[in-house]
Amino acid sequence: MTNKETSPAGNGKPKLAIYWAASCGGCEIAILNIGDKILAVDEAFEIVFWPCAADFKYEDVRNYPDHSIDLCLFNGAIRSSENEEMAHLLRQKSKVLVAFGSCAQEGCIPGLSNLTSASDTFRAIYMDNPSIDNPAATLPQTVTTVPEGELHIPVFYNTVRSLDQVVPVEYVIPGCPPEPPQIWAVLEAIVTGAPLPAPGSTVIGASHLAVCHECPLEKHEKTIERFYRPYEITPEPGLCLLEQGLMCMGIATRGGCGALCPRVGMRCEGCYGLLDGVEDQGANMISAIASVVNVGKPGDDEAELERRIGVAMDSIVDPAGTFYRFNMAHSLLHRVKTGNNGDVQNRGSETA
Amino acid sequence: MSEERVGVYVCHCGTNIAKTVDVQDVATWAAGQPHVTVARDYKFMCSSLGQEMVEQDIQEQGLTRVVVAACSPHMHEKTFQGACERAGLNRFMFEMANIRELNSWTTKDRESATQKAKSMVRGAVERVVHHRPLDMLPVPINPNTLIVGGGIAGITAALDIANAGYHVYLVEREPSIGGHMAQVDKTFPTLDCAACILTPRMVDVGQHPNITLLSYSELEQVDGHVGNFTVRVRKKARFVNEALCTGCGDCIEKCPGKTLDEVFEVGLGYRKAVYKPFPQAVPKYPVIDTESCIFFQRGKCKACELVCPTHAIDFTQKDEYLQLQVGNIILATGYDLFDARTIPQYGYGRLANVFTSMEFERMVNAAGPTDGQIVLRDGVTPPKSVGIIHCVGSRDKHYHEYCSRVCCMYSLKFAHLIHERLPDTEVYNFYIDIRASGKRYEEFYHRVLEEGTHFIRGRVAEVTDAARMPGEEGKLIIQAEDTLIGKQRRIPVDMVILSTGVQSRHDSHEVAQLFGMGCDFNGYFIERHPKLDPVLTMSDGVFIAGACQGPMAIPETVAQAGSAASQVISLISQGTLMMEPIRARINPDKCSGCRICNNLCPYHAITFHADRKVSEVITAMCQGCGACVSACPSSAITGAHFTAQQVMSQIEGILWDVRETIPLMAR
């Protein structure tokens, strides 16, 4: 694999950077999952920064001329000052910056911590976690004084943001993680010089239709009495999961994955995110299912209607984690208000 | 978008708005807002001068969008759209901010009302710049009309429309048309014989070439929209072949099955199993009631079949379903009477000689079960004293808070009729107020006063047969407070008449739902405007007439029926109708075929193409309600004039002074 000695001065090949901010690492594995085509990537690109796979330092990147990186695949959300610093740096050095994967696109699982505060997140991780024994209540400190001097670690922000909430991005490749064939399709298009759509947070490597379009299960008019969690029922094969009461997010989720989950009887969790023209994936989903939940008809006894609405509602466990599992940070909700006086504390610079 | 030139006009509405909102301040402020070219305030924007101001500004200042901050769009949206159009601007380049109903009328706080007015104006401005020109949709009008209900309202409207040369389907669920009016003896205050004035019109309906009378039929389903409704009617089996029956009545005469007539004679008389509700029934064909028919119950008899000279009896007849195409619908479904049993202390159903007003109507009717004799429940004894209790179920927060508007007058009529038939009988009227506000009503009240009827002002506490004082034995004692003398009184009488009020039909909610319109808390259909559009509803092409809209007497009912008929005739005569283009549209390139929208359209306007796996909105059937737009998880459905961009911009605008932006791109 290319190493830093040869970069960035050039062998004429376009330069590629891949970076990992607040994410699980799945996106990196997804890139490797394109299989032996990774050799073709190495063939076509000069890799100038990929901390996961090769030894580069931030300092190297700082020393590159501005806009010298042709393509930067940036996965992970912006959760710390380090993430943010790298977002700005890579923006400055890259011609084309791509929000790669759900975290960079919309906050993904890290974004769910926008439902709480950074200090509560720390408390959960370092104190309340059943596998932690921390009698001194030691928490990470931004600045620590040791005999040798001051130690600094990145600031942990109160609010998780998507990449395009911090810097402009040309393209977005959705998915948690993006499916390897889609990754390869994008890289291949870039390598072969195929025309790309106009930049501006433009989604590439995915469908412009919802998952249902590529889902082979049979769909009917929908009326749903209540919802079930996957362990509660064995879905009828061949039949739309949502109709059977499984909260399949496929109707409100961008396709491109090939409907992998519903094909095997597992509800779509929504990882490919919202469709073009949609303001808020979770809100669209809630609005859609509210329209097909069968709780009676207008004019029915009010108390009975209310009871049946209650039954349907109670069958939706963890609504935030269901409807906003991937898109919380980029949704209209963005984050909850915290603090006793109801003040919004959503400034990205606030710390734990 | 940035080059849009918006004119903002803030209306004082006399003092309706200006009293609470600092309209000058709003206009001055608006002038400085983005996109706004000119902002003015004016006393009455809806006046011709106000409209001319808008037209002049469009032409001279080159406005491309107009915002009027005034009353509800229900009131004047069309007015200002017209002004825009006259000045050469598409009518949809206009937005109204309702700073009257939604603002000045809701508060006395001038400062916050002014602030709210600014927010609403800003919302309207930020919305209107995203408006797109739309064209009205021409829709041809089917000249046939459906009228539901064959009482005096339905009869009047049917004749008016039929006489104008258009076809009418008149659907009545009872075997005969005529409604409540056919049960009544005399009409107040003129004491006209109700049957004498009603039956000729019933006959006209029965014979009119432009009227298809569907009696003993019920409405099952309504689809479509103004100009083109499809309705399904269930014609209940009469077991009498109408094509053969001559209405001779031999079957009725020979029928051995006799049963209490709970409907027309309100339980006071009997009818046969094969019957007409009353002799002058229209149509003349009888029906067989399977509940009381010996053949249907025990499998033997068929006396009617035997005697019928034209072999019209058909025991195998089945319910028939008819599909009708109509352009307009008039609902004239009438009212129900308040159930006197609801008030147990008045003793109806428990004390034999307590009668309801409808029972008394039938009794006093010469064609009724007692041949017009006023007698006690034993059928022979004339009462020596009668107490008439007003407001039974009306003007009472336990039952109906409203005034039923007819009881005072028919109670006075009863008093008069009793004096006329039984001159020696004492009549007591127990009333709260005498409401005699119609033409020649007050004069009638005085006439009854002079005839010697006693009037006791106060609500009756109870009717009892428990005698406490001498002279009360064997009598019904009416216990009431006489508020004019401030004393409790006990009046012993032989007969009590409960002047029961009117209430909405028991199934009015279901009917309203069938037509996609609303009922008020009391179950009466909601008119489009209580003053100016009393016979229109919020559903275009659906009109209401008579007591289904609220309690009313015959003259108002007839007036409303005529009004509804003229509305229908004027629509039909236009031939085509320009419909609002505010419709939903599914972008087939964005539809994933998930089918969420398929069964939520209240107008059945969405169809699914299984071959292409996309759904489609049928424009002509769409009413623009937006249910599918908000439900579509792919946002593949757009509501014209209510696009996500337009709505979101309006929200952003309204929140102009409080909005917080997510710290995008910022550190």
Side-chain angles (χ1 to χ4, degrees):
Chain A
M1 201 144 284
T2 321
N3 69 37
K4 60 178 176 174
E5 275 75 49
T6 61
S7 70
N11 43 20
K13 287 201 280 187
K15 297 177 179 60
L16 174 67
I18 296 175
Y19 184 66
W20 168 359
S23 64
C24 68
C27 286
E28 307 273 347
I29 294 164
I31 293 173
L32 294 177
N33 272 353
I34 64 175
D36 53 11
K37 295 195 180 74
I38 195 74
L39 299 174
V41 172
D42 184 47
E43 185 90 2
F45 291 99
E46 181 190 353
I47 291 168
V48 295
F49 185 55
W50 189 1
C52 181
D55 184 17
F56 292 98
K57 298 288 184 266
Y58 292 171
E59 200 52 37
D60 301 330
V61 182
R62 285 192 196 98
N63 290 331
Y64 295 158
D66 289 356
H67 311 299
S68 63
I69 301 170
D70 294 281
L71 175 66
C72 175
L73 304 180
F74 188 110
N75 74 76
I78 309 304
R79 141 62 88 209
S80 70
S81 56
E82 182 191 22
N83 301 150
E84 187 171 16
E85 188 185 333
M86 287 310 291
H88 285 286
L89 180 62
L90 287 166
R91 171 69 281 179
Q92 190 188 335
K93 302 296 176 190
S94 305
K95 283 200 189 86
V96 173
L97 179 63
V98 175
F100 186 92
S102 176
C103 290
Q105 181 198 3
E106 51 185 358
C108 197
I109 305 294
L112 283 174
S113 67
N114 287 1
L115 292 167
T116 178
S117 64
S119 53
D120 281 349
T121 304
F122 270 11
R123 197 168 304 124
I125 299 169
Y126 296 106
M127 288 154 78
D128 299 341
N129 192 325
S131 64
I132 291 285
D133 185 28
N134 184 3
T138 308
L139 291 175
Q141 300 300 313
T142 321
V143 185
T144 312
T145 312
V146 290
E148 293 81 6
E150 275 188 350
L151 287 178
H152 292 257
I153 62 167
V155 179
F156 189 83
Y157 291 156
N158 210 30
T159 298
V160 171
R161 285 172 291 164
S162 65
L163 181 59
D164 78 346
Q165 286 172 338
V166 177
V167 292
V169 303
E170 277 76 21
Y171 297 105
V172 172
I173 300 179
C176 181
E179 281 306 311
Q182 292 282 17
I183 299 171
W184 174 244
V186 170
L187 290 174
E188 193 180 33
I190 291 169
V191 169
T192 57
L196 288 173
S201 291
T202 312
V203 172
I204 51 175
S207 168
H208 62 280
L209 287 167
V211 173
C212 300
H213 181 71
E214 44 203 45
C215 171
L217 301 179
E218 197 180 324
K219 295 154 197 81
H220 305 90
E221 291 188 355
K222 293 170 176 51
T223 46
I224 300 165
E225 305 282 335
R226 55 151 294 178
F227 294 94
Y228 298 93
R229 302 183 75 184
Y231 74 87
E232 289 178 292
I233 57 166
T234 306
E236 194 82 30
L239 191 63
C240 170
L241 298 176
L242 184 59
E243 285 164 29
Q244 303 186 56
L246 291 167
M247 187 65 83
C248 180
M249 292 277 290
I251 56 170
T253 303
R254 185 186 291 275
C257 57
L260 292 174
C261 300
R263 271 176 203 276
V264 295
M266 181 60 199
R267 69 179 193 89
C268 168
E269 293 190 329
C271 78
Y272 260 62
L274 79 187
L275 285 143
D276 298 327
V278 175
E279 200 75 40
D280 186 313
Q281 183 190 13
N284 263 39
M285 183 68 191
I286 293 167
S287 189
I289 60 150
S291 308
V292 295
V293 168
N294 175 24
V295 291
K297 53 186 190 314
D300 284 2
D301 178 49
E302 296 256 336
E304 175 62 12
L305 281 176
E306 208 162 304
R307 191 192 65 78
R308 293 181 64 179
I309 291 171
V311 169
M313 296 275 282
D314 289 347
S315 68
I316 302 172
V317 181
D318 184 18
T322 304
F323 302 117
Y324 290 94
R325 174 178 294 255
F326 300 95
N327 66 107
M328 173 61 74
H330 213 287
S331 69
L332 288 172
L333 301 178
H334 185 55
R335 71 156 297 118
V336 295
K337 290 184 174 186
T338 52
N340 295 331
N341 57 7
D343 282 351
V344 184
Q345 302 179 353
N346 66 349
R347 298 295 172 234
S349 55
E350 281 177 33
T351 59
Chain B
M1 188 184 102
S2 54
E3 70 273 18
E4 294 304 343
R5 298 171 64 80
V6 182
V8 174
Y9 301 88
V10 186
C11 183
H12 299 209
C13 195
T15 57
N16 272 309
I17 296 170
K19 192 176 69 181
T20 324
V21 173
D22 186 342
V23 283
Q24 279 102 352
D25 181 35
V26 175
T28 315
W29 169 86
Q33 298 307 302
H35 314 297
V36 178
T37 304
V38 56
R40 306 180 195 277
D41 62 280
Y42 189 68
K43 199 123 184 118
F44 287 107
M45 279 310 299
C46 59
S47 67
S48 53
L49 288 174
Q51 294 183 54
E52 280 162 21
M53 187 159 82
V54 175
E55 290 171 49
Q56 201 174 342
D57 281 353
I58 292 173
Q59 277 155 356
E60 290 174 6
Q61 310 243 12
L63 299 184
T64 58
R65 317 275 153 148
V66 172
V67 168
V68 175
C71 52
S72 160
H74 270 311
M75 211 73 188
H76 277 305
E77 186 175 50
K78 288 197 167 61
T79 309
F80 298 115
Q81 286 183 333
C84 289
E85 215 158 49
R86 283 194 298 277
L89 209 57
N90 182 281
R91 62 195 288 123
F92 291 95
M93 300 310 222
F94 167 77
E95 178 67 12
M96 200 147 181
N98 179 356
I99 58 167
R100 193 179 75 172
E101 284 87 339
L102 297 184
N103 189 7
S104 72
W105 281 359
T106 66
T107 182
K108 291 193 172 89
D109 182 343
R110 195 170 165 84
E111 197 180 323
S112 55
T114 304
Q115 192 59 25
K116 182 172 174 181
K118 288 178 183 174
S119 289
M120 295 173 80
V121 167
R122 178 80 184 246
V125 169
E126 295 203 13
R127 184 191 212 281
V128 83
V129 296
H130 295 292
H131 281 194
R132 290 283 161 271
L134 299 170
D135 294 321
M136 300 294 275
L137 298 171
V139 178
I141 298 176
N142 185 313
N144 299 336
T145 304
L146 172 76
I147 298 180
V148 186
I152 184 60
I155 289 171
T156 306
L159 287 172
D160 283 359
I161 295 170
N163 288 338
Y166 302 114
H167 198 87
V168 173
Y169 296 99
L170 179 59
V171 174
E172 165 61 49
R173 70 171 150 209
E174 296 297 330
S176 170
I177 57 170
H180 284 111
M181 190 174 168
Q183 292 172 278
V184 171
D185 179 40
K186 296 270 197 295
T187 58
F188 59 77
T190 51
L191 301 173
D192 273 316
C193 157
C196 309
I197 57 177
L198 175 66
T199 50
R201 303 229 168 164
M202 290 167 56
V203 172
D204 288 349
V205 166
Q207 295 176 342
H208 207 295
N210 284 339
I211 298 178
T212 304
L213 176 54
L214 300 165
S215 67
Y216 211 46
S217 300
E218 299 216 38
L219 207 60
E220 295 266 309
Q221 200 186 322
V222 182
D223 287 318
H225 53 86
V226 58
N228 292 286
F229 291 104
T230 304
V231 293
R232 204 162 101 104
V233 175
R234 180 166 64 97
K235 210 162 174 294
K236 294 181 275 193
R238 274 189 127 89
F239 305 106
V240 172
N241 186 335
E242 292 174 26
L244 300 175
C245 175
T246 61
C248 70
D250 284 359
C251 55
I252 301 173
E253 202 175 302
K254 291 291 185 302
C255 174
K258 208 174 178 192
T259 187
L260 204 59
D261 183 352
E262 300 271 12
V263 180
F264 193 79
E265 299 293 2
V266 285
L268 222 53
Y270 292 88
R271 62 161 170 79
K272 297 293 185 63
V274 55
Y275 73 104
K276 293 197 264 188
F278 52 103
Q280 305 95 321
V282 172
K284 61 193 171 186
Y285 319 115
V287 300
I288 295 179
D289 164 27
T290 55
E291 299 281 300
S292 52
C293 171
I294 295 170
F295 171 73
F296 276 106
Q297 292 303 315
R298 293 183 228 152
K300 276 202 183 108
C301 179
K302 295 196 174 182
C304 49
E305 192 181 52
L306 215 62
V307 299
C308 179
T310 58
H311 310 292
I313 304 286
D314 177 6
F315 291 108
T316 64
Q317 212 173 59
K318 293 270 179 300
D319 287 0
E320 218 183 305
Y321 290 89
L322 306 176
Q323 195 100 327
L324 309 177
Q325 304 290 332
V326 296
N328 292 283
I329 298 171
I330 298 175
L331 294 178
T333 51
Y335 63 95
D336 282 341
L337 281 163
F338 177 77
D339 179 5
R341 286 181 179 81
T342 319
I343 309 182
Q345 62 268 35
Y346 287 173
Y348 182 73
R350 177 165 53 86
L351 303 172
N353 289 317
V354 177
F355 291 82
T356 65
S357 46
M358 191 51 90
E359 283 180 319
F360 187 78
E361 287 284 1
R362 292 309 304 151
M363 186 194 291
V364 82
N365 192 315
T370 63
D371 301 326
Q373 300 298 312
I374 301 171
V375 287
L376 297 181
R377 203 66 80 170
D378 64 9
V380 288
T381 319
K384 293 202 169 53
S385 51
V386 180
I388 302 173
I389 302 177
H390 292 222
C391 299
V392 176
S394 310
R395 304 187 67 194
D396 185 335
K397 66 178 182 192
H398 297 108
Y399 310 105
H400 299 303
E401 261 189 293
Y402 57 81
C403 166
S404 288
R405 299 185 59 208
V406 291
C407 329
C408 277
M409 291 311 296
Y410 76 59
S411 299
L412 296 174
K413 176 186 76 178
F414 289 173
H416 169 80
L417 292 174
I418 296 166
H419 284 307
E420 188 181 80
R421 312 266 164 103
L422 305 168
D424 298 329
T425 298
E426 295 291 335
V427 183
Y428 300 87
N429 265 274
F430 295 85
Y431 70 102
I432 306 175
D433 301 290
I434 292 292
R435 298 198 160 166
S437 63
K439 187 175 179 181
R440 300 192 39 202
Y441 286 13
E442 188 72 13
E443 293 91 322
F444 186 74
Y445 173 35
H446 282 276
R447 178 176 170 187
V448 174
L449 273 171
E450 279 161 23
E451 285 171 352
T453 298
H454 308 284
F455 283 88
I456 297 169
R457 186 175 185 277
R459 190 179 276 291
V460 170
E462 70 165 342
V463 177
T464 177
D465 58 354
R468 281 213 318 245
M469 295 188 219
E472 291 185 353
E473 295 83 3
K475 301 270 189 184
L476 293 172
I477 303 101
I478 301 174
Q479 169 94 41
E481 184 191 6
D482 187 334
T483 58
L484 294 181
I485 57 170
K487 279 197 171 137
Q488 285 288 330
R489 296 185 67 177
R490 289 170 66 83
I491 311 285
V493 293
D494 295 328
M495 175 191 270
V496 170
I497 303 170
L498 302 180
S499 295
T500 47
V502 304
Q503 60 190 19
S504 58
R505 283 283 188 202
H506 58 279
D507 56 356
S508 66
H509 283 283
E510 287 97 81
V511 174
Q513 216 186 310
L514 213 54
F515 290 93
M517 42 175 234
C519 283
D520 64 19
F521 286 124
N522 295 311
Y524 294 107
F525 299 143
I526 299 177
E527 61 287 319
R528 181 169 289 188
H529 193 278
K531 299 266 184 284
L532 300 178
D533 287 321
V535 302
L536 270 62
T537 69
M538 287 309 207
S539 297
D540 287 332
V542 179
F543 304 86
I544 49 178
C548 61
Q549 185 237 357
M552 67 184 70
I554 295 167
E556 293 132 286
T557 299
V558 169
Q560 277 210 345
S563 167
S566 80
Q567 297 275 358
V568 167
I569 294 166
S570 86
L571 269 174
I572 297 172
S573 63
Q574 288 170 29
T576 44
L577 199 67
M578 296 308 277
M579 303 272 286
E580 293 267 343
I582 299 173
R583 306 295 158 106
R585 182 183 170 273
I586 300 180
N587 180 349
D589 295 336
K590 291 184 75 180
C591 175
S592 73
C594 74
R595 307 195 66 181
I596 281 282
C597 60
N598 284 187
N599 60 343
L600 53 82
C601 176
Y603 310 100
H604 313 291
I606 298 180
T607 170
F608 179 68
H609 298 290
D611 50 340
R612 288 181 283 142
K613 292 206 164 55
V614 289
S615 298
E616 186 186 352
V617 174
I618 318 251
T619 310
M621 289 171 76
C622 172
Q623 299 288 289
C625 73
C628 61
V629 179
S630 59
C632 177
S634 295
S635 295
I637 313 183
T638 316
H641 210 52
F642 287 87
T643 65
Q645 190 188 33
Q646 288 163 356
V647 175
M648 293 304 288
S649 302
Q650 183 169 21
I651 294 171
E652 295 266 329
I654 286 169
L655 301 176
W656 69 283
D657 55 342
V658 290
R659 63 181 153 196
E660 293 191 42
T661 41
I662 297 165
L664 300 178
M665 320 283 172
R667 168 67 216 261

